[in-house]
Amino acid sequence: MNAFKDAGHLFRLAGVFLAGILLFLVIREFLVPKSFGEYGHYRGAALAEIAARPLHYAGHDTCETCHADVLEKKKDGKHAHVNCETCHGALANHADDPASVTPQKLDTAVLCVRCHEANAAKPRGFPQVVSADHSNGLACDTCHQPHSPAITAGGAK
Amino acid sequence: MQGVEGFMYPNEVELQWSVLIVLYPFLTGLVAGAFILASLERVFNVEAVKPTYRLALLTALAFLLVAPLPLQLHLGHPERSFEMYLTPHSTSAMAMFGFVYLWYLMAVLVLEIWLDYRRDIVVLSQTTTGLTRLIYRALTLGSSNISEHALHIDDRVGWVITLIGIPSAFLLHGYVGFIFGSIKANPWWSTPLMPVVFIFSAMVSGIAAVMLLYMLLTWLRKQTIDMRCVDTIAQYLFYTFLIDFTLEMLDLIHRIYESDESFRSLDFMVHTKLYVSHILVQIILGTITPILLLASTQVLKISDMARKRIYATAGCLTMIGIFAMRWNVVIGGQLFSKSFLGYTTYKMGLVTREGLLTAIVLTLLPLVILWGLVKLLPPWPEKSPAVPGASAAH
């Protein structure tokens, strides 16, 4: 069995590799979260954890229950499909307790240009203005009604 | 906007892939190239280039150890790269690279070096003292069997590993080209020729690097350079470079003839923003000049001294040319807008995490590691330690 003896070092090396792989498997057992791969290439338990986090956005429907007047104004204008909280920010805590949480006033000079500043990358049909030329520094809501922005007849009610 | 001409989409203005991503294919290219050189020497049994066989292997190892660092620094959170192994993601080319890398490092390079050096390691573990002795002892894995038959087995196993190693080295670097070549949204990258061009340019840079290192280290050790050896390597360099250049020209001609919708934009870029790095540095200085220099040594009768100088010059130009090629691929691919209507500028940081300084340190680090490896495992045939007790004539 000379050949066997002379290849002894190779078996030792194989042993080292094997030990390395085993060590890796043990480490893997500890490091990979139990729920990994339950639904896909991620930690399954993450879903429940995320669901348990406090809500920040109340959603359009919730706002409507108390602010029917705004909805009435908004529903015929072009902003009908722009959600309340897109402009007003996350307001779940206000919806829960309107008496103690008052939403911040919005600065239209910053808010409106976020969507309407002219940019060649925007679809051509989207209403956009070069704000420096268009309003010359005036706040947009001096002329436009935020909830129903068209100025022509039928806009500001 | 400063540095932007024409129209860029907002997410294209700033380059996401920095100079470190240029460095990464450059380093892996050197690994694959050096290893392929060593393997060809072994598989085809080329006697002339023996003096560089072990040096090429150690060079490959030194550069491979550093190769992932640019990526780690680029991404941040280096500890997360371990997740690639913990939860393998089989449909992500980038995630699978972890396995290609590990396979190549452990199953090919380390194994081949260990088998090749085993005799020396065993002898050194018996003749050295102190800490070095302990290192060598650990490397022997407790077996000091260096009988003729044991070494013969090592040689056979090593040969098989070399054979497996060649496709592995191609895979390692072809993979890097694949990552770029498979990005269909980017016409500067998206071509099936990319992996092939990457492999050949890798061989070119690896061969040039080993040749330069051999000449430099021999000079530092005050030994004479084996001219037969460098002549042969230079010849290899010449031929692989010719193939590499032909492939790149083929790609170019193909693009010009096809003239798809991206062509005008890319053509404009090559004549403006990329003119210096692509036309001047990569093609004229880094490819045509070294090819002509090497060709002159093939056809003309030139003295040894002059040949050495030509090889050194051609080698250095080659390294510059291949680095420029990586630069033009990685940076060039991000300078133009996917709307084909505008161009941006790459602003390289200096002392930032992905800046110039980091790139320089990462380029020098493999040389430091190589220095350590050469000290630990001398690659010079004449320095191979004699078995204690055996006659000097052995």
Side-chain angles (χ1 to χ4, degrees), chain B residues 11-295:
Chain B
N11 60 344
E12 293 172 332
V13 171
E14 197 185 329
L15 269 65
Q16 301 301 318
W17 286 4
S18 63
V19 64
L20 293 191
I21 306 297
V22 176
L23 201 59
Y24 165 70
F26 182 67
L27 294 181
T28 35
L30 291 175
V31 177
F35 181 81
I36 290 170
L37 176 67
S39 314
L40 294 180
E41 291 170 20
R42 177 151 190 178
V43 172
F44 295 112
N45 227 342
V46 188
E47 204 48 47
V49 283
K50 266 274 150 57
T52 61
Y53 172 67
R54 288 178 152 191
L55 179 64
L57 285 182
L58 294 186
T59 308
L61 181 60
F63 279 91
L64 189 65
L65 288 175
V66 176
L69 289 186
L71 298 185
Q72 312 266 31
L73 277 164
H74 169 69
L75 294 170
H77 281 290
E79 79 285 358
R80 287 190 193 160
S81 61
F82 192 54
E83 305 273 338
M84 283 194 302
Y85 300 114
L86 293 178
T87 52
H89 196 307
S90 60
T91 54
S92 159
M94 288 206 187
M96 286 324 276
F97 174 66
F99 290 90
V100 176
Y101 176 85
L102 199 67
W103 162 263
Y104 186 70
L105 177 68
M106 298 312 294
V108 176
L109 212 47
V110 167
L111 210 58
E112 180 161 342
I113 292 177
W114 187 72
L115 287 172
D116 198 67
Y117 271 102
R118 218 177 56 80
R119 194 194 81 97
D120 293 12
I121 292 172
V122 168
V123 174
L124 284 167
S125 75
Q126 291 160 356
T127 51
T128 50
T129 53
L131 184 67
T132 38
R133 185 191 178 93
L134 278 179
I135 297 175
Y136 289 123
R137 283 288 281 275
L139 286 176
T140 59
L141 301 181
S143 156
S144 54
N145 182 355
I146 48 172
S147 68
E148 197 119 324
H149 189 222
L151 291 180
H152 178 73
I153 292 177
D154 285 354
D155 193 50
R156 297 312 301 164
V157 176
W159 191 83
V160 172
I161 289 173
T162 310
L163 218 53
I164 300 171
I166 296 177
S168 301
F170 274 79
L171 187 68
L172 177 77
H173 206 62
Y175 152 85
V176 181
F178 173 84
I179 290 275
F180 287 100
S182 61
I183 297 183
K184 54 177 168 251
N186 189 322
W188 184 245
W189 293 338
S190 174
T191 152
L193 260 184
M194 201 57 113
V196 186
V197 170
F198 261 62
I199 288 167
F200 274 93
S201 56
M203 286 167 68
V204 169
S205 65
I207 294 173
V210 172
M211 182 177 82
L212 285 175
L213 280 171
Y214 171 70
M215 286 170 43
L216 180 74
L217 290 176
T218 315
W219 178 70
L220 284 178
R221 295 186 318 134
K222 304 196 171 47
Q223 304 279 329
T224 45
I225 291 174
D226 181 346
M227 278 319 279
R228 198 165 70 105
C229 171
V230 276
D231 280 340
T232 318
I233 299 183
Q235 206 174 12
Y236 287 170
L237 180 61
F238 176 57
Y239 292 134
T240 31
F241 217 161
L242 268 188
I243 300 177
D244 178 43
F245 186 52
T246 316
L247 284 170
E248 281 184 38
M249 287 305 108
L250 186 64
D251 183 39
L252 190 69
I253 294 167
H254 189 255
R255 280 170 190 272
I256 295 174
Y257 188 75
E258 192 179 86
S259 279
D260 68 5
E261 69 277 12
S262 65
F263 183 71
R264 277 171 47 131
S265 174
L266 299 184
D267 187 51
F268 179 79
M269 182 173 74
V270 170
H271 285 94
T272 51
K273 294 226 175 227
L274 278 191
Y275 186 75
V276 174
S277 63
H278 199 275
I279 307 278
L280 294 186
V281 179
Q282 182 188 331
I283 296 184
I284 296 179
L285 187 71
T287 305
I288 296 182
T289 316
I291 286 183
L292 289 180
L293 283 175
L294 290 170

